[in-house]
Amino acid sequence: MSDIEMIRAARARIAGNLRRTPLLSAPALDAIAGRRVLLKAECLQVTGSFKARGGWSAVSAIAPGARARGVIAFSSGNHAQGVAHAAREHGVPAVILMPKDAPKAKIDGTRALGAEVVLFDRERDDRDAMGAALAEERGLTLIKPFDDAFVIAGQGTLGLELAEQAREHGVTSAEVLVCCGGGGLSSGVALALEAEAPGLRVRTCEPEGFDDVARSLAACEIRRNDRLSGSICDAIVTPQPGNLTFPILRRLCGPGLAVSEEEVLRAMALAFRHLRVVIEPGGAVAVAAALFRPEALTSDTVIAVATGGNVDAALYARALSTLE
């Protein structure tokens, strides 16, 4: 199980290899939200998302002999690129299983990082069986997208940065809104904030219809999504919270939030207009919650983590059209 010492160790391994992403603000966003809004621009991270943190943490923690044989991961794109980047920088092979309906930008980006991409059908193919067969055949080490202690620790390094930046901005109390799929980032950030900034509390954010974490938190036990496709927020569509992540979320996070696709698209456009940052749909869910769920928030300041910026041009144009 990940803990604060694992997160600090992951930060030491990551140091000098990834970015300390900025904490941004704009008066216009404060006015829409009716409170102070700070945006953690992880969309500016290496590979375009926070997944570079977990990827580097996990790859760098594998014993050298096993690491040399290579790694394998399952992902719709951001975890894929994070693992592929870390594998390339460590000089080892990477095989990535990606759904056929993943955004082209993410598939192309993963291949550009030198990974071998194997495509599968979300609804028909047994991804786990495909991955297990490849891992056994080639001696690859599996790096799970969220239910992995080293991945959680790597994502938790964002929380360490956020604690420092909150102090720099004079923020001692706030709700920290985090886009959530399986809960790797949310749980890692929650562990880091518990140790370094206990006045900051994580709230998970999901698209409506795929809010398994919010329902699980409300029920105090894991709940599944009824479907695994059909959302523009592909980066955070997962079957259910992780077995490692959920106990952390249940202990440390407030009630989950859910937003509509229309609100996500509007948040993407507003972030571009007022901050000049590009956010993908799954990465904009927390920003949408900050702007359009004021009744569900209690703090005078909210911090929204913009978790990724890997979006296809046509979908981004659709988002920008909401400004017209």
Side-chain angles (χ1 to χ4, degrees), residues 4 7-8 11 20-21 23 38 40 53 156-174 176 188-200 303 305:
I4 188 60
I7 294 172
R8 289 171 178 152
R11 189 178 197 184
R20 184 182 194 259
T21 54
L23 196 61
L38 298 172
K40 176 68 167 163
R53 298 176 185 269
T157 64
L158 187 151
L160 296 181
E161 283 183 15
L162 196 53
E164 295 168 353
Q165 292 169 316
R167 287 192 288 270
E168 292 166 5
H169 283 74
V171 176
T172 58
S173 178
V176 178
V189 169
L191 286 170
L193 295 180
E194 178 188 34
E196 298 292 337
L200 276 57
I303 301 172
V305 182

Side-chain angles (χ1 to χ4, degrees), residues 22 42 45 52 54-55 72 90 100 110 148 150 152 193 226-227 236 239 242 248 252 255 274 279 305 320:
E42 196 66 9
Q45 184 54 265
I72 186 169
H90 284 82
K100 293 179 179 178
T110 303
D148 178 292
F150 289 106
I152 295 169
L193 295 180
D226 294 330
R227 54 196 177 103
I236 56 173
I248 302 170
L252 296 177
H274 299 296
I279 312 176
V305 182
L320 295 182

Side-chain angles (χ1 to χ4, degrees), residues 2 8 53 77 91 159 182 189 211-212 228 231 233 263 265 274 302:
S2 295
R8 289 171 178 152
R53 298 176 185 269
V189 169
D211 58 344
D212 51 296
L228 298 178
S231 173
C233 303
E263 289 167 330
L265 292 169
H274 299 296
V302 295

